Amino acid sequence: LFNIFSVVALTLSAAEPSQKKGLAGRTLHGVVTNPIILGILIALPFSFLQVEFPAMVVKTLDALANCATPLALLSIGASFEGAKALKKIVPTSAASFIKLVGLPVVFLPVAVWMGFRGQALVTILIMLGTPAPPAGYVMAKKLHGDAELASSIVVMTTAFSAVTLTILLYIVRVLGLV
């Protein structure tokens, strides 16, 4: 759902007023042809049917998966332009704050209220407070969104997530929830 909403938001925000005609069709096309969504749809039958792959295939895919994020971060870093990023420091800081602090502060109390404790609560905290994914930059660039802003958010959230996650984990531990 996150990827579908991302494609919709990026398509709508990238459209100029003169391009509003046919926007629904372009948005649907963007959702249907999104590589992340296609990958999920292709993987669903294998997941539901609990298909076991040979060890060689699993190891190869694991090796590729382990390289994906570092390579994406290297690509973002290579295309990162500090001067352009500084021009967008306010929205970058706001988005990074929301991602690293706002979401955990809003939704952790809800998770505690729902009865989550221990490892489950730590998992929720990590899911809420992790850096913005590099795929967001790729999607923004592909869908003609603000790729510079997206890359700045990925860089800033990656840089500060170690600090914010450590602080949030400490607070949860001090409160006796873990």
Side-chain angles (χ1 to χ4, degrees):
L1 287 176
F2 171 77
N3 290 305
I4 291 170
F5 292 140
S6 297
V7 171
V8 170
L10 287 168
T11 304
L12 293 176
S13 67
E16 295 178 19
S18 62
Q19 297 176 326
K20 295 296 181 189
K21 189 173 183 179
L23 187 60
R26 279 198 313 276
T27 303
L28 182 62
H29 180 266
V31 169
V32 172
T33 60
N34 182 280
I36 296 171
I37 296 170
L38 288 175
I40 291 168
L41 291 175
I42 291 168
L44 276 176
F46 295 97
S47 178
F48 285 137
L49 298 173
Q50 297 180 347
V51 174
E52 295 283 331
F53 291 102
M56 183 177 79
V57 172
V58 171
K59 284 186 177 189
T60 303
L61 292 175
D62 281 343
L64 285 171
N66 289 334
C67 293
T69 299
L71 284 175
L73 291 172
L74 282 171
S75 298
I76 290 170
S79 67
F80 187 74
E81 296 181 45
K84 288 183 180 179
L86 283 175
K87 291 178 183 174
K88 299 182 182 213
I89 193 69
V90 173
T92 299
S93 299
S96 298
F97 180 81
I98 290 168
K99 178 68 177 119
L100 298 177
V101 178
L103 291 175
V105 165
V106 169
F107 290 106
L108 274 180
V110 174
V112 170
W113 176 76
M114 293 175 71
F116 289 99
R117 300 287 188 280
Q119 265 187 317
L121 190 63
V122 170
T123 302
I124 292 169
L125 171 62
I126 290 171
M127 287 173 43
L128 290 169
T130 55
Y137 164 73
V138 174
M139 284 177 49
K141 192 166 187 161
K142 180 181 183 265
L143 295 171
H144 309 293
D146 194 341
E148 292 169 4
L149 179 60
S151 72
S152 297
I153 293 168
V154 170
V155 169
M156 186 177 275
T157 57
T158 300
F160 289 109
S161 66
V163 174
T164 57
L165 273 174
T166 301
I167 291 169
L168 290 167
L169 284 168
Y170 176 75
I171 291 170
V172 170
R173 184 165 174 86
V174 166
L175 292 174
L177 301 171
V178 179

